[in-house]
Amino acid sequence: MRAIHVVRSLVAAAVLPLALVSAPSARAALPIQVACGESALADAINTANAAGGGSLTLAALCTYTLTSAHSSGGAGHPAGLPNITTPISMTGFLTQITRAPGAPAFRIFEVDGPSQVPGTNGRLSMNTLTVSGGDAGLGVGGGIANLGGTVTLTSSTVSGSRASYGGGIYTDGALTLTGSTVTGNTASVVGGGIFTNAGTVTLTGSGVVGNTPTNCGALPPVSPAC
């Protein structure tokens, strides 16, 4: 009986390391509670990027007012927040992210994907947030510049931003809007609301309205989103 017990122990000892080696690893998104403040939001995005992704819960009823750029950007102008280079979700409740009046020109978000920025995997998902006041100047994407990544907006708004192309949103990746609004944005060339350079745009129960000079624009042969 003692011998059987020893054999069972040896088998168990051999199987355990094997299971540890062969079991697939699953990394859950790092949960982060973000206090109401510019530095807290920038730090949370940096932390999530370093962890390979994160799930950010923003402060309810908060306006995150950005007074300076936190990224050098990569498409004509800096970004108010660190570039999104990993899968990051942001959820708020009547929460706003806006550029401060009189602040230097910068877009709000840049999302970097592998087709444009090798080695990145930017995927931004926003729920119940408003992004406003971005200014990319002669660059693209005043509110959000999606450079080969994935952007998903749910019950969210992009407004009051400007750029040369895509005053609200510029995309050459995958863009999905559900129950969201892009309004009151301006482009100096075309696509005041959304400019599609490449990739796909899916609008479900969403409005792209009241943008100047056009709500949507695209680089031929791509069709405008609206």
Side-chain angles (χ1 to χ4, degrees), residues 2 53 84 119 134:
R2 181 181 180 84
I84 306 296

Side-chain angles (χ1 to χ4, degrees), residues 30-34 44-45 47-48 54-58:
L30 180 69
I32 303 174
Q33 297 285 333
V34 185
I45 293 173
T47 298
S55 177
L56 279 55
T57 301
L58 276 57

Side-chain angles (χ1 to χ4, degrees), residues 5-209:
H5 178 74
V6 170
V7 169
R8 286 178 176 171
S9 298
L10 290 173
V11 169
V15 169
L16 181 59
L18 181 61
L20 291 174
V21 170
S22 60
S25 60
R27 174 183 289 180
L30 180 69
I32 303 174
Q33 297 285 333
V34 185
C36 185
E38 175 181 9
S39 296
L41 181 54
D43 290 346
I45 293 173
N46 282 328
T47 298
N49 277 332
S55 177
L56 279 55
T57 301
L58 276 57
L61 306 176
C62 168
T63 297
Y64 291 86
T65 302
L66 309 180
T67 59
S68 62
H70 292 265
S71 165
S72 60
H77 249 302
L81 292 167
N83 292 2
I84 306 296
T85 59
T86 62
I88 293 177
S89 66
M90 298 184 184
T91 300
F93 177 74
L94 300 179
T95 302
Q96 301 184 51
I97 303 172
T98 188
R99 175 176 148 270
F106 53 78
R107 68 170 56 88
I108 305 299
F109 284 104
E110 178 175 320
V111 181
D112 295 335
S115 65
Q116 298 295 327
V117 184
T120 60
N121 183 28
R123 285 188 261 162
L124 174 62
S125 175
M126 297 198 307
N127 187 28
T128 325
L129 297 175
T130 295
V131 172
S132 65
D135 185 354
L138 297 178
V140 300
I144 302 171
N146 179 24
L147 306 184
T150 299
V151 173
T152 302
L153 306 184
T154 304
S155 301
S156 295
T157 298
V158 178
S159 66
S161 297
R162 64 180 299 274
S164 57
Y165 294 85
I169 303 172
Y170 169 95
T171 183
D172 53 25
L175 174 65
T176 301
L177 275 64
T178 303
S180 296
T181 303
V182 180
T183 187
N185 303 285
T186 303
S188 59
V189 182
V190 70
I194 298 174
F195 185 86
T196 308
N197 185 61
T200 61
V201 178
T202 303
L203 305 178
T204 303
S206 298
V208 185
V209 295

